[in-house]
Amino acid sequence: MANITITRKEKEKTRHKAEILQAALNLFSDKGFGNVSMQDIAAKAEFSVGALYNFFAGKEQLFGELMGDCSDRIYQMLSPIFDSEMPDDEKIRTYIRAGVRLLEDNLKFIRLYVSQYNSLTPAPTHSPKAAENMEIKLKEKLLNTIKSGIRNKLFRAVDEQTATNALCATMEAFVLKSSENFDKAKIEQGLKNIETLFVDNLLKNEGRSNA
Amino acid sequence: MANITITRKEKEKTRHKAEILQAALNLFSDKGFGNVSMQDIAAKAEFSVGALYNFFAGKEQLFGELMGDCSDRIYQMLSPIFDSEMPDDEKIRTYIRAGVRLLEDNLKFIRLYVSQYNSLTPAPTHSPKAAENMEIKLKEKLLNTIKSGIRNKLFRAVDEQTATNALCATMEAFVLKSSENFDKAKIEQGLKNIETLFVDNLLKNEGRSNA
DNA sequence: ACTTTTCCTGAACTATTATTCATAATATGA
DNA sequence: TCATATTATGAATAATAGTTCAGGAAAAGT
């Protein structure tokens, strides 16, 4: 009985769970949480309703796990940018430019996120905490980067918190908007504009190496 | 039968409708659309469920009218700023500062708006178009103001659309965040920071009357 | 005072759906 | 091969909530 290695059965179970989550992601991102029933998910995943309850305690748990997984992926992708050895302005530029890949790799999740954003809702026991946490952690890193950049006179002495909020809000709005129809060229241009606006014009001191 | 004037009965009916909408606003903003039943609204408004259907075709219609009314009020409040005779930079400063009164006068509506923003949802026949329209119309006016300011060399030659989006997103995020707990002093400070960030640092050319 | 119209009432109807559980299928181990 | 454990099935359950409507109350009109 000593579980030295992962049995085939255990691998199967993991795969089944992933399949259910994948089916749920597709349905949720198309129709929104409230318009997808457990029956729908079961059908799409080619399981019975009952089986879902062997993997998840309920619909919200399932949803929560989905959000958690997706948020983690995004965090794993963006967080290293701020932990790298680039200068602070480059960190921010890289972070902004990462929006392209963010959208490419997570379109469905982002659309799911959006579909919650404009919907009438049964707001159960407040689930989508996962995505929020991810955003908060990234925001913290961005804040520290801006602070550091100001200390090093790379940036102007703007209010750090306000600048952080502004950039985050702008990025988020842009990403949500762009998820409607993915057009790589337009997205790259839009992100370039954001980069110019915030890093070149707002944070960078340009010619003026002032007092 | 000639309806020369509005009868008392008609005034009553209008009042009743307003009372129902008020009750609905309170409930929706506290608990979110999906957690408020027609029974709840009827109880709070001191009517029977059936009566609601004399005023509104259904729950969504009711909600839609509520959103429309509130959006209109906000539009009537903010739109004149852009139609005034101020210089463009003052228009934007005034717009930003108007956030205080916006929050004061529309806390419940804004909270309702927020409550949709993080909720699992049945996303019916896409209702909350009203608030979106209001935002689009204001955004358009802001865009024109920024364009005009750039033409008049009041502002730097940033990308107008990007600057508009950034300011709108920042303001919206700020307003939504501030609606959680209303603290006038903090809100005034936060708006002042946004004003500095966008108008002083970003758009205004300050000392540099460049080439 | 009586009729008619308008408005209100709230129990009943309908539909939806998350969740359960007895049963069946399948896999595991000896 | 047989006993046991694990997992899947899906009809039945239960609870919620939007909507309707037959009947009653109130007001308006005559």
Side-chain angles (χ1 to χ4, degrees):
Chain A
M1 280 299 176
N3 259 339
I4 300 169
T5 175
I6 304 141
T7 70
R8 193 179 64 79
K9 212 171 187 182
E10 283 167 330
K11 278 191 284 186
E12 283 261 291
K13 201 171 179 184
T14 306
R15 197 169 49 75
H16 288 176
K17 189 169 179 175
E19 281 169 6
I20 293 169
L21 284 172
Q22 184 59 47
L25 177 56
N26 282 311
L27 288 168
F28 284 147
S29 76
D30 278 357
K31 324 205 292 182
F33 178 83
N35 292 317
V36 174
S37 68
M38 291 300 267
Q39 331 278 336
D40 293 335
I41 298 171
K44 184 118 185 176
E46 297 180 276
F47 280 95
S48 65
V49 246
L52 301 194
Y53 288 84
N54 291 332
F55 296 99
F56 308 96
K59 194 187 179 186
E60 282 194 43
Q61 310 286 331
L62 192 162
F63 183 82
E65 219 163 301
L66 189 54
M67 295 292 276
D69 286 2
C70 293
S71 300
D72 279 352
R73 255 230 325 284
I74 291 178
Y75 185 76
Q76 299 305 331
M77 169 185 166
L78 296 180
S79 150
I81 295 171
F82 295 111
D83 300 331
S84 72
E85 291 299 323
M86 290 180 236
D88 296 315
D89 58 337
E90 273 309 313
K91 282 185 187 175
I92 294 179
R93 287 181 197 281
T94 307
Y95 170 68
I96 293 172
R97 291 200 205 103
V100 184
R101 244 198 71 206
L102 177 75
L103 274 158
E104 265 178 341
D105 295 355
N106 301 283
L107 245 195
K108 284 192 173 153
F109 169 62
I110 291 166
R111 283 188 182 142
L112 167 53
Y113 200 84
V114 172
S115 88
Q116 284 182 63
Y117 260 64
N118 30 345
S119 276
L120 312 185
T121 160
T125 46
H126 277 206
S127 290
K129 221 62 199 160
E132 215 173 298
N133 275 334
M134 178 259 296
E135 284 183 56
I136 288 170
K137 286 198 284 182
L138 286 174
K139 208 164 178 173
E140 175 101 22
K141 290 189 178 241
L142 177 59
L143 175 63
N144 287 332
T145 305
I146 289 181
K147 278 182 178 169
S148 160
I150 291 175
R151 263 200 312 276
N152 301 341
K153 313 263 186 193
L154 264 172
F155 301 148
R156 307 180 187 202
V158 297
D159 181 77
E160 299 104 342
Q161 190 64 63
T162 306
T164 305
N165 291 342
L167 180 50
C168 282
T170 302
M171 280 293 283
E172 183 169 330
F174 180 80
V175 166
L176 296 188
K177 182 80 177 60
S178 301
S179 74
E180 285 168 20
N181 40 4
F182 183 82
D183 178 335
K184 194 163 179 173
K186 274 192 184 169
I187 290 168
E188 279 169 348
Q189 182 57 53
L191 291 172
K192 213 182 118 204
N193 287 339
I194 293 177
E195 191 186 327
T196 304
L197 192 76
F198 278 91
V199 187
D200 292 341
N201 277 308
L202 183 57
L203 297 178
K204 270 283 186 76
N205 260 320
E206 293 180 52
R208 275 191 312 165
S209 52
N210 62 331
Chain B
M1 285 296 177
N3 257 340
I4 299 169
T5 175
I6 304 143
T7 70
R8 193 178 63 79
K9 213 171 189 181
E10 282 167 328
K11 278 191 285 185
E12 283 262 290
K13 201 171 178 184
T14 306
R15 195 170 49 76
H16 288 177
K17 189 169 180 176
E19 282 169 5
I20 294 170
L21 285 172
Q22 185 60 46
L25 177 57
N26 282 312
L27 287 169
F28 283 148
S29 76
D30 279 356
K31 325 206 290 180
F33 179 82
N35 291 318
V36 174
S37 69
M38 292 299 267
Q39 333 277 336
D40 293 335
I41 299 172
K44 184 118 186 177
E46 295 180 277
F47 281 96
S48 64
V49 246
L52 302 194
Y53 288 85
N54 292 332
F55 296 98
F56 308 97
K59 194 187 179 188
E60 282 195 43
Q61 310 286 331
L62 192 163
F63 183 82
E65 219 163 302
L66 189 55
M67 296 292 275
D69 286 1
C70 293
S71 300
D72 280 352
R73 255 228 329 281
I74 291 178
Y75 184 75
Q76 299 306 330
M77 169 186 166
L78 296 180
S79 149
I81 295 172
F82 296 110
D83 300 332
S84 73
E85 290 300 322
M86 291 179 235
D88 295 315
D89 58 337
E90 273 308 313
K91 282 185 185 174
I92 294 178
R93 288 182 196 281
T94 308
Y95 170 68
I96 293 171
R97 291 200 205 104
V100 185
R101 244 198 72 206
L102 176 75
L103 275 158
E104 264 178 341
D105 295 356
N106 300 282
L107 245 196
K108 285 193 172 153
F109 170 61
I110 290 166
R111 284 189 182 143
L112 166 53
Y113 200 85
V114 173
S115 87
Q116 285 182 61
Y117 261 63
N118 29 346
S119 276
L120 312 185
T121 160
T125 47
H126 277 206
S127 290
K129 221 60 197 159
E132 217 173 297
N133 274 334
M134 177 261 294
E135 283 184 56
I136 287 170
K137 286 198 283 182
L138 286 174
K139 208 164 178 173
E140 175 101 24
K141 289 188 179 242
L142 177 59
L143 175 63
N144 286 332
T145 305
I146 288 181
K147 276 182 178 169
S148 160
I150 291 176
R151 262 201 312 277
N152 301 341
K153 314 264 186 192
L154 266 171
F155 302 147
R156 307 180 186 200
V158 296
D159 181 76
E160 298 104 342
Q161 191 64 63
T162 306
T164 305
N165 291 341
L167 180 50
C168 282
T170 303
M171 281 292 284
E172 184 167 330
F174 180 79
V175 166
L176 296 189
K177 183 79 177 58
S178 302
S179 74
E180 284 167 20
N181 41 3
F182 182 83
D183 179 335
K184 194 163 180 174
K186 273 191 184 170
I187 289 167
E188 278 170 347
Q189 183 57 53
L191 291 172
K192 213 182 118 203
N193 287 339
I194 293 177
E195 192 186 327
T196 303
L197 191 77
F198 278 91
V199 187
D200 292 341
N201 277 309
L202 182 59
L203 298 177
K204 270 283 187 76
N205 259 320
E206 291 181 52
R208 275 192 313 164
S209 53
N210 63 330

PDB file of all heavy atoms in Angstrom, chain B residues 82 88-89 91-92 140-160 203 205 210:
ATOM      1  N   PHE B  82     -18.300  69.954 -19.274  1.00  0.00           N
ATOM      2  CA  PHE B  82     -17.601  69.957 -20.563  1.00  0.00           C
ATOM      3  C   PHE B  82     -18.219  70.941 -21.543  1.00  0.00           C
ATOM      4  O   PHE B  82     -17.584  71.325 -22.520  1.00  0.00           O
ATOM      5  CB  PHE B  82     -17.592  68.548 -21.152  1.00  0.00           C
ATOM      6  CG  PHE B  82     -16.825  67.565 -20.329  1.00  0.00           C
ATOM      7  CD1 PHE B  82     -17.466  66.549 -19.638  1.00  0.00           C
ATOM      8  CD2 PHE B  82     -15.441  67.657 -20.232  1.00  0.00           C
ATOM      9  CE1 PHE B  82     -16.755  65.644 -18.877  1.00  0.00           C
ATOM     10  CE2 PHE B  82     -14.718  66.766 -19.462  1.00  0.00           C
ATOM     11  CZ  PHE B  82     -15.382  65.764 -18.785  1.00  0.00           C
ATOM     12  N   ASP B  88      -9.723  74.231 -21.269  1.00  0.00           N
ATOM     13  CA  ASP B  88      -9.795  72.768 -21.265  1.00  0.00           C
ATOM     14  C   ASP B  88      -9.189  72.154 -20.009  1.00  0.00           C
ATOM     15  O   ASP B  88      -9.714  71.175 -19.472  1.00  0.00           O
ATOM     16  CB  ASP B  88      -9.093  72.219 -22.506  1.00  0.00           C
ATOM     17  CG  ASP B  88      -9.817  72.635 -23.773  1.00  0.00           C
ATOM     18  OD1 ASP B  88     -11.064  72.535 -23.790  1.00  0.00           O
ATOM     19  OD2 ASP B  88      -9.161  73.064 -24.728  1.00  0.00           O
ATOM     20  N   ASP B  89      -8.091  72.711 -19.544  1.00  0.00           N
ATOM     21  CA  ASP B  89      -7.478  72.107 -18.361  1.00  0.00           C
ATOM     22  C   ASP B  89      -8.371  72.290 -17.131  1.00  0.00           C
ATOM     23  O   ASP B  89      -8.483  71.391 -16.300  1.00  0.00           O
ATOM     24  CB  ASP B  89      -6.075  72.672 -18.118  1.00  0.00           C
ATOM     25  CG  ASP B  89      -6.087  74.181 -17.936  1.00  0.00           C
ATOM     26  OD1 ASP B  89      -7.043  74.828 -18.407  1.00  0.00           O
ATOM     27  OD2 ASP B  89      -5.146  74.713 -17.323  1.00  0.00           O
ATOM     28  N   LYS B  91     -11.617  72.452 -17.229  1.00  0.00           N
ATOM     29  CA  LYS B  91     -12.714  71.490 -17.393  1.00  0.00           C
ATOM     30  C   LYS B  91     -12.331  70.152 -16.769  1.00  0.00           C
ATOM     31  O   LYS B  91     -13.097  69.554 -16.015  1.00  0.00           O
ATOM     32  CB  LYS B  91     -13.012  71.284 -18.877  1.00  0.00           C
ATOM     33  CG  LYS B  91     -13.820  72.402 -19.513  1.00  0.00           C
ATOM     34  CD  LYS B  91     -14.153  72.042 -20.953  1.00  0.00           C
ATOM     35  CE  LYS B  91     -14.853  73.210 -21.646  1.00  0.00           C
ATOM     36  NZ  LYS B  91     -15.076  72.955 -23.083  1.00  0.00           N
ATOM     37  N   ILE B  92     -11.141  69.732 -17.090  1.00  0.00           N
ATOM     38  CA  ILE B  92     -10.726  68.415 -16.590  1.00  0.00           C
ATOM     39  C   ILE B  92     -10.531  68.448 -15.081  1.00  0.00           C
ATOM     40  O   ILE B  92     -10.939  67.527 -14.373  1.00  0.00           O
ATOM     41  CB  ILE B  92      -9.453  67.949 -17.325  1.00  0.00           C
ATOM     42  CG1 ILE B  92      -9.812  67.720 -18.800  1.00  0.00           C
ATOM     43  CG2 ILE B  92      -8.904  66.672 -16.707  1.00  0.00           C
ATOM     44  CD1 ILE B  92      -8.658  67.301 -19.662  1.00  0.00           C
ATOM     45  N   GLU B 140     -16.683  60.540 -24.336  1.00  0.00           N
ATOM     46  CA  GLU B 140     -16.609  61.277 -25.602  1.00  0.00           C
ATOM     47  C   GLU B 140     -16.311  62.757 -25.341  1.00  0.00           C
ATOM     48  O   GLU B 140     -15.453  63.354 -26.000  1.00  0.00           O
ATOM     49  CB  GLU B 140     -17.954  61.135 -26.326  1.00  0.00           C
ATOM     50  CG  GLU B 140     -18.067  61.932 -27.602  1.00  0.00           C
ATOM     51  CD  GLU B 140     -17.867  61.058 -28.817  1.00  0.00           C
ATOM     52  OE1 GLU B 140     -18.096  59.846 -28.701  1.00  0.00           O
ATOM     53  OE2 GLU B 140     -17.472  61.605 -29.874  1.00  0.00           O
ATOM     54  N   LYS B 141     -16.992  63.302 -24.353  1.00  0.00           N
ATOM     55  CA  LYS B 141     -16.780  64.731 -24.045  1.00  0.00           C
ATOM     56  C   LYS B 141     -15.384  64.960 -23.489  1.00  0.00           C
ATOM     57  O   LYS B 141     -14.736  65.971 -23.802  1.00  0.00           O
ATOM     58  CB  LYS B 141     -17.835  65.202 -23.047  1.00  0.00           C
ATOM     59  CG  LYS B 141     -19.216  65.304 -23.682  1.00  0.00           C
ATOM     60  CD  LYS B 141     -20.233  65.951 -22.774  1.00  0.00           C
ATOM     61  CE  LYS B 141     -21.581  66.044 -23.474  1.00  0.00           C
ATOM     62  NZ  LYS B 141     -22.018  67.434 -23.655  1.00  0.00           N
ATOM     63  N   LEU B 142     -14.939  64.023 -22.673  1.00  0.00           N
ATOM     64  CA  LEU B 142     -13.585  64.145 -22.139  1.00  0.00           C
ATOM     65  C   LEU B 142     -12.572  64.065 -23.273  1.00  0.00           C
ATOM     66  O   LEU B 142     -11.602  64.843 -23.334  1.00  0.00           O
ATOM     67  CB  LEU B 142     -13.337  63.046 -21.104  1.00  0.00           C
ATOM     68  CG  LEU B 142     -11.939  62.999 -20.498  1.00  0.00           C
ATOM     69  CD1 LEU B 142     -11.606  64.317 -19.810  1.00  0.00           C
ATOM     70  CD2 LEU B 142     -11.812  61.848 -19.510  1.00  0.00           C
ATOM     71  N   LEU B 143     -12.794  63.138 -24.162  1.00  0.00           N
ATOM     72  CA  LEU B 143     -11.888  62.979 -25.310  1.00  0.00           C
ATOM     73  C   LEU B 143     -11.791  64.273 -26.106  1.00  0.00           C
ATOM     74  O   LEU B 143     -10.701  64.725 -26.453  1.00  0.00           O
ATOM     75  CB  LEU B 143     -12.399  61.838 -26.198  1.00  0.00           C
ATOM     76  CG  LEU B 143     -11.641  61.602 -27.505  1.00  0.00           C
ATOM     77  CD1 LEU B 143     -10.209  61.192 -27.242  1.00  0.00           C
ATOM     78  CD2 LEU B 143     -12.343  60.539 -28.355  1.00  0.00           C
ATOM     79  N   ASN B 144     -12.930  64.877 -26.368  1.00  0.00           N
ATOM     80  CA  ASN B 144     -12.931  66.120 -27.142  1.00  0.00           C
ATOM     81  C   ASN B 144     -12.202  67.232 -26.399  1.00  0.00           C
ATOM     82  O   ASN B 144     -11.504  68.040 -27.007  1.00  0.00           O
ATOM     83  CB  ASN B 144     -14.364  66.546 -27.451  1.00  0.00           C
ATOM     84  CG  ASN B 144     -14.984  65.659 -28.522  1.00  0.00           C
ATOM     85  OD1 ASN B 144     -14.274  65.115 -29.369  1.00  0.00           O
ATOM     86  ND2 ASN B 144     -16.296  65.497 -28.466  1.00  0.00           N
ATOM     87  N   THR B 145     -12.367  67.236 -25.086  1.00  0.00           N
ATOM     88  CA  THR B 145     -11.677  68.259 -24.294  1.00  0.00           C
ATOM     89  C   THR B 145     -10.168  68.075 -24.370  1.00  0.00           C
ATOM     90  O   THR B 145      -9.421  69.042 -24.526  1.00  0.00           O
ATOM     91  CB  THR B 145     -12.149  68.189 -22.833  1.00  0.00           C
ATOM     92  OG1 THR B 145     -13.570  68.292 -22.794  1.00  0.00           O
ATOM     93  CG2 THR B 145     -11.543  69.312 -22.017  1.00  0.00           C
ATOM     94  N   ILE B 146      -9.743  66.832 -24.277  1.00  0.00           N
ATOM     95  CA  ILE B 146      -8.303  66.571 -24.346  1.00  0.00           C
ATOM     96  C   ILE B 146      -7.772  66.918 -25.739  1.00  0.00           C
ATOM     97  O   ILE B 146      -6.718  67.545 -25.888  1.00  0.00           O
ATOM     98  CB  ILE B 146      -8.013  65.098 -23.976  1.00  0.00           C
ATOM     99  CG1 ILE B 146      -8.240  64.904 -22.472  1.00  0.00           C
ATOM    100  CG2 ILE B 146      -6.597  64.714 -24.368  1.00  0.00           C
ATOM    101  CD1 ILE B 146      -7.969  63.502 -21.972  1.00  0.00           C
ATOM    102  N   LYS B 147      -8.519  66.539 -26.749  1.00  0.00           N
ATOM    103  CA  LYS B 147      -8.123  66.887 -28.118  1.00  0.00           C
ATOM    104  C   LYS B 147      -7.968  68.400 -28.258  1.00  0.00           C
ATOM    105  O   LYS B 147      -6.966  68.904 -28.777  1.00  0.00           O
ATOM    106  CB  LYS B 147      -9.193  66.396 -29.105  1.00  0.00           C
ATOM    107  CG  LYS B 147      -9.049  64.943 -29.503  1.00  0.00           C
ATOM    108  CD  LYS B 147     -10.122  64.577 -30.526  1.00  0.00           C
ATOM    109  CE  LYS B 147      -9.983  63.129 -30.983  1.00  0.00           C
ATOM    110  NZ  LYS B 147     -11.158  62.696 -31.758  1.00  0.00           N
ATOM    111  N   SER B 148      -8.969  69.103 -27.790  1.00  0.00           N
ATOM    112  CA  SER B 148      -8.953  70.564 -27.887  1.00  0.00           C
ATOM    113  C   SER B 148      -7.759  71.139 -27.125  1.00  0.00           C
ATOM    114  O   SER B 148      -7.074  72.045 -27.610  1.00  0.00           O
ATOM    115  CB  SER B 148     -10.276  71.112 -27.344  1.00  0.00           C
ATOM    116  OG  SER B 148     -10.151  72.462 -27.000  1.00  0.00           O
ATOM    117  N   GLY B 149      -7.515  70.591 -25.945  1.00  0.00           N
ATOM    118  CA  GLY B 149      -6.397  71.075 -25.143  1.00  0.00           C
ATOM    119  C   GLY B 149      -5.056  70.847 -25.832  1.00  0.00           C
ATOM    120  O   GLY B 149      -4.135  71.657 -25.718  1.00  0.00           O
ATOM    121  N   ILE B 150      -4.961  69.757 -26.553  1.00  0.00           N
ATOM    122  CA  ILE B 150      -3.710  69.489 -27.271  1.00  0.00           C
ATOM    123  C   ILE B 150      -3.572  70.450 -28.453  1.00  0.00           C
ATOM    124  O   ILE B 150      -2.498  71.000 -28.698  1.00  0.00           O
ATOM    125  CB  ILE B 150      -3.670  68.013 -27.728  1.00  0.00           C
ATOM    126  CG1 ILE B 150      -3.536  67.094 -26.507  1.00  0.00           C
ATOM    127  CG2 ILE B 150      -2.511  67.790 -28.690  1.00  0.00           C
ATOM    128  CD1 ILE B 150      -3.588  65.622 -26.818  1.00  0.00           C
ATOM    129  N   ARG B 151      -4.673  70.649 -29.154  1.00  0.00           N
ATOM    130  CA  ARG B 151      -4.642  71.625 -30.270  1.00  0.00           C
ATOM    131  C   ARG B 151      -4.183  72.987 -29.779  1.00  0.00           C
ATOM    132  O   ARG B 151      -3.388  73.657 -30.422  1.00  0.00           O
ATOM    133  CB  ARG B 151      -6.049  71.744 -30.862  1.00  0.00           C
ATOM    134  CG  ARG B 151      -6.298  70.912 -32.099  1.00  0.00           C
ATOM    135  CD  ARG B 151      -7.478  71.461 -32.897  1.00  0.00           C
ATOM    136  NE  ARG B 151      -8.651  71.744 -32.069  1.00  0.00           N
ATOM    137  CZ  ARG B 151      -9.558  70.822 -31.699  1.00  0.00           C
ATOM    138  NH1 ARG B 151      -9.417  69.565 -32.100  1.00  0.00           N
ATOM    139  NH2 ARG B 151     -10.579  71.157 -30.949  1.00  0.00           N
ATOM    140  N   ASN B 152      -4.691  73.372 -28.629  1.00  0.00           N
ATOM    141  CA  ASN B 152      -4.367  74.691 -28.089  1.00  0.00           C
ATOM    142  C   ASN B 152      -3.048  74.707 -27.319  1.00  0.00           C
ATOM    143  O   ASN B 152      -2.787  75.656 -26.587  1.00  0.00           O
ATOM    144  CB  ASN B 152      -5.496  75.176 -27.171  1.00  0.00           C
ATOM    145  CG  ASN B 152      -6.807  75.270 -27.908  1.00  0.00           C
ATOM    146  OD1 ASN B 152      -6.846  75.320 -29.135  1.00  0.00           O
ATOM    147  ND2 ASN B 152      -7.904  75.297 -27.154  1.00  0.00           N
ATOM    148  N   LYS B 153      -2.295  73.661 -27.433  1.00  0.00           N
ATOM    149  CA  LYS B 153      -0.984  73.555 -26.778  1.00  0.00           C
ATOM    150  C   LYS B 153      -1.067  73.699 -25.256  1.00  0.00           C
ATOM    151  O   LYS B 153      -0.092  74.049 -24.606  1.00  0.00           O
ATOM    152  CB  LYS B 153      -0.026  74.625 -27.319  1.00  0.00           C
ATOM    153  CG  LYS B 153      -0.014  74.761 -28.822  1.00  0.00           C
ATOM    154  CD  LYS B 153       1.112  73.969 -29.433  1.00  0.00           C
ATOM    155  CE  LYS B 153       1.174  74.272 -30.942  1.00  0.00           C
ATOM    156  NZ  LYS B 153       2.038  73.342 -31.652  1.00  0.00           N
ATOM    157  N   LEU B 154      -2.263  73.470 -24.724  1.00  0.00           N
ATOM    158  CA  LEU B 154      -2.371  73.443 -23.269  1.00  0.00           C
ATOM    159  C   LEU B 154      -1.799  72.142 -22.738  1.00  0.00           C
ATOM    160  O   LEU B 154      -1.281  72.079 -21.627  1.00  0.00           O
ATOM    161  CB  LEU B 154      -3.842  73.545 -22.846  1.00  0.00           C
ATOM    162  CG  LEU B 154      -4.399  74.919 -22.521  1.00  0.00           C
ATOM    163  CD1 LEU B 154      -5.889  74.852 -22.335  1.00  0.00           C
ATOM    164  CD2 LEU B 154      -3.717  75.482 -21.276  1.00  0.00           C
ATOM    165  N   PHE B 155      -1.945  71.121 -23.532  1.00  0.00           N
ATOM    166  CA  PHE B 155      -1.490  69.790 -23.127  1.00  0.00           C
ATOM    167  C   PHE B 155      -0.384  69.310 -24.050  1.00  0.00           C
ATOM    168  O   PHE B 155      -0.244  69.770 -25.186  1.00  0.00           O
ATOM    169  CB  PHE B 155      -2.657  68.788 -23.208  1.00  0.00           C
ATOM    170  CG  PHE B 155      -3.845  69.155 -22.362  1.00  0.00           C
ATOM    171  CD1 PHE B 155      -5.134  68.838 -22.783  1.00  0.00           C
ATOM    172  CD2 PHE B 155      -3.693  69.795 -21.139  1.00  0.00           C
ATOM    173  CE1 PHE B 155      -6.236  69.159 -22.001  1.00  0.00           C
ATOM    174  CE2 PHE B 155      -4.792  70.119 -20.351  1.00  0.00           C
ATOM    175  CZ  PHE B 155      -6.063  69.802 -20.787  1.00  0.00           C
ATOM    176  N   ARG B 156       0.359  68.360 -23.557  1.00  0.00           N
ATOM    177  CA  ARG B 156       1.354  67.702 -24.396  1.00  0.00           C
ATOM    178  C   ARG B 156       0.661  66.902 -25.483  1.00  0.00           C
ATOM    179  O   ARG B 156      -0.517  66.563 -25.374  1.00  0.00           O
ATOM    180  CB  ARG B 156       2.175  66.706 -23.584  1.00  0.00           C
ATOM    181  CG  ARG B 156       2.779  67.266 -22.359  1.00  0.00           C
ATOM    182  CD  ARG B 156       3.554  66.150 -21.697  1.00  0.00           C
ATOM    183  NE  ARG B 156       4.058  66.612 -20.415  1.00  0.00           N
ATOM    184  CZ  ARG B 156       5.061  66.047 -19.784  1.00  0.00           C
ATOM    185  NH1 ARG B 156       5.642  64.978 -20.313  1.00  0.00           N
ATOM    186  NH2 ARG B 156       5.470  66.510 -18.639  1.00  0.00           N
ATOM    187  N   ALA B 157       1.408  66.508 -26.465  1.00  0.00           N
ATOM    188  CA  ALA B 157       0.831  65.775 -27.590  1.00  0.00           C
ATOM    189  C   ALA B 157       0.764  64.284 -27.292  1.00  0.00           C
ATOM    190  O   ALA B 157       1.333  63.451 -27.992  1.00  0.00           O
ATOM    191  CB  ALA B 157       1.633  66.033 -28.855  1.00  0.00           C
ATOM    192  N   VAL B 158       0.059  63.918 -26.240  1.00  0.00           N
ATOM    193  CA  VAL B 158      -0.115  62.490 -25.932  1.00  0.00           C
ATOM    194  C   VAL B 158      -1.195  61.919 -26.848  1.00  0.00           C
ATOM    195  O   VAL B 158      -1.913  62.663 -27.512  1.00  0.00           O
ATOM    196  CB  VAL B 158      -0.538  62.296 -24.463  1.00  0.00           C
ATOM    197  CG1 VAL B 158       0.561  62.775 -23.534  1.00  0.00           C
ATOM    198  CG2 VAL B 158      -1.840  63.002 -24.183  1.00  0.00           C
ATOM    199  N   ASP B 159      -1.277  60.612 -26.862  1.00  0.00           N
ATOM    200  CA  ASP B 159      -2.363  59.984 -27.623  1.00  0.00           C
ATOM    201  C   ASP B 159      -3.679  60.263 -26.902  1.00  0.00           C
ATOM    202  O   ASP B 159      -3.866  59.869 -25.749  1.00  0.00           O
ATOM    203  CB  ASP B 159      -2.127  58.479 -27.746  1.00  0.00           C
ATOM    204  CG  ASP B 159      -3.225  57.815 -28.556  1.00  0.00           C
ATOM    205  OD1 ASP B 159      -3.196  57.952 -29.788  1.00  0.00           O
ATOM    206  OD2 ASP B 159      -4.123  57.191 -27.940  1.00  0.00           O
ATOM    207  N   GLU B 160      -4.589  60.924 -27.595  1.00  0.00           N
ATOM    208  CA  GLU B 160      -5.794  61.410 -26.936  1.00  0.00           C
ATOM    209  C   GLU B 160      -6.636  60.259 -26.381  1.00  0.00           C
ATOM    210  O   GLU B 160      -7.119  60.297 -25.252  1.00  0.00           O
ATOM    211  CB  GLU B 160      -6.678  62.214 -27.900  1.00  0.00           C
ATOM    212  CG  GLU B 160      -6.022  63.465 -28.447  1.00  0.00           C
ATOM    213  CD  GLU B 160      -5.568  63.264 -29.870  1.00  0.00           C
ATOM    214  OE1 GLU B 160      -5.456  62.085 -30.298  1.00  0.00           O
ATOM    215  OE2 GLU B 160      -5.334  64.281 -30.556  1.00  0.00           O
ATOM    216  N   LEU B 203      -0.555  66.110 -18.594  1.00  0.00           N
ATOM    217  CA  LEU B 203      -1.089  66.904 -19.703  1.00  0.00           C
ATOM    218  C   LEU B 203      -0.486  68.301 -19.762  1.00  0.00           C
ATOM    219  O   LEU B 203      -0.182  68.806 -20.826  1.00  0.00           O
ATOM    220  CB  LEU B 203      -2.616  66.992 -19.575  1.00  0.00           C
ATOM    221  CG  LEU B 203      -3.329  65.649 -19.651  1.00  0.00           C
ATOM    222  CD1 LEU B 203      -4.823  65.817 -19.453  1.00  0.00           C
ATOM    223  CD2 LEU B 203      -3.063  64.966 -20.985  1.00  0.00           C
ATOM    224  N   ASN B 205       2.117  71.241 -19.713  1.00  0.00           N
ATOM    225  CA  ASN B 205       3.506  71.329 -20.127  1.00  0.00           C
ATOM    226  C   ASN B 205       4.392  72.001 -19.102  1.00  0.00           C
ATOM    227  O   ASN B 205       5.602  72.041 -19.256  1.00  0.00           O
ATOM    228  CB  ASN B 205       3.600  72.099 -21.445  1.00  0.00           C
ATOM    229  CG  ASN B 205       3.773  71.144 -22.598  1.00  0.00           C
ATOM    230  OD1 ASN B 205       4.512  70.166 -22.462  1.00  0.00           O
ATOM    231  ND2 ASN B 205       3.115  71.394 -23.700  1.00  0.00           N
ATOM    232  N   ASN B 210       7.977  74.098 -25.075  1.00  0.00           N
ATOM    233  CA  ASN B 210       8.976  73.518 -25.976  1.00  0.00           C
ATOM    234  C   ASN B 210       8.737  73.816 -27.449  1.00  0.00           C
ATOM    235  O   ASN B 210       7.949  74.654 -27.825  1.00  0.00           O
ATOM    236  CB  ASN B 210       8.992  72.008 -25.775  1.00  0.00           C
ATOM    237  CG  ASN B 210       7.644  71.428 -26.171  1.00  0.00           C
ATOM    238  OD1 ASN B 210       6.623  72.107 -26.054  1.00  0.00           O
ATOM    239  ND2 ASN B 210       7.624  70.222 -26.650  1.00  0.00           N
TER     240      ASN B 210
END
